[in-house]
Amino acid sequence: MRKRFNVSFDLQAARHREAARLLDEQPVGQRTEFIVDCILLYDRSVKLEKIVRTAIQEELRHFTDCQVPSDPPAFAAVLQLDEANLSDVPDSLLHAMDDP
């Protein structure tokens, strides 16, 4: 049994144009498999991102529960990051733990 879907793309939107281009590049007869692969890969990536976020949040909670060294000023100096160091980090990575 087959289920049929009708899909339309808004060619004014860049993402839709790119998706339509990628779909057009698929050989006739292989487009359904391409769409199935894309949907399943997207679903897995969303689930994996959720697992990674949860694991990192749990580890950060554990880290914040740790005892602070007896010399807080020295500890703060070690953890201090200046703007030059942060400018080299991609923005997506800096906000990786932000809630989506």
Side-chain angles (χ1 to χ4, degrees):
M1 183 174 172
R2 291 179 171 250
K3 186 168 185 171
R4 181 169 292 274
F5 289 91
N6 293 315
V7 178
S8 60
F9 296 95
D10 175 5
L11 298 180
Q12 300 298 319
R15 294 178 64 229
H16 285 232
R17 276 194 313 275
E18 179 68 7
R21 184 189 63 77
L22 291 170
L23 187 57
D24 283 340
E25 289 178 355
Q26 302 309 306
V28 175
Q30 295 180 11
R31 290 180 180 166
T32 299
E33 279 304 308
F34 177 74
I35 292 171
V36 168
D37 288 345
C38 289
I39 292 169
L40 294 176
L41 284 171
Y42 175 79
D43 184 59
R44 285 187 205 132
S45 70
V46 168
K47 289 175 182 174
L48 179 60
E49 180 182 356
K50 184 176 179 179
I51 290 168
V52 169
R53 283 180 180 275
T54 300
I56 291 172
Q57 288 171 348
E58 288 174 5
E59 288 302 314
L60 286 174
R61 262 198 290 312
H62 172 73
F63 178 75
T64 58
D65 291 342
C66 291
Q67 185 176 4
V68 176
S70 59
D71 188 4
F75 181 67
V78 170
L79 292 180
Q80 185 175 16
L81 294 174
D82 59 52
E83 289 297 320
N85 291 341
L86 291 177
S87 67
D88 296 333
V89 178
D91 194 47
S92 60
L93 186 56
L94 283 175
H95 302 291
M97 291 306 302
D98 296 347
D99 288 328

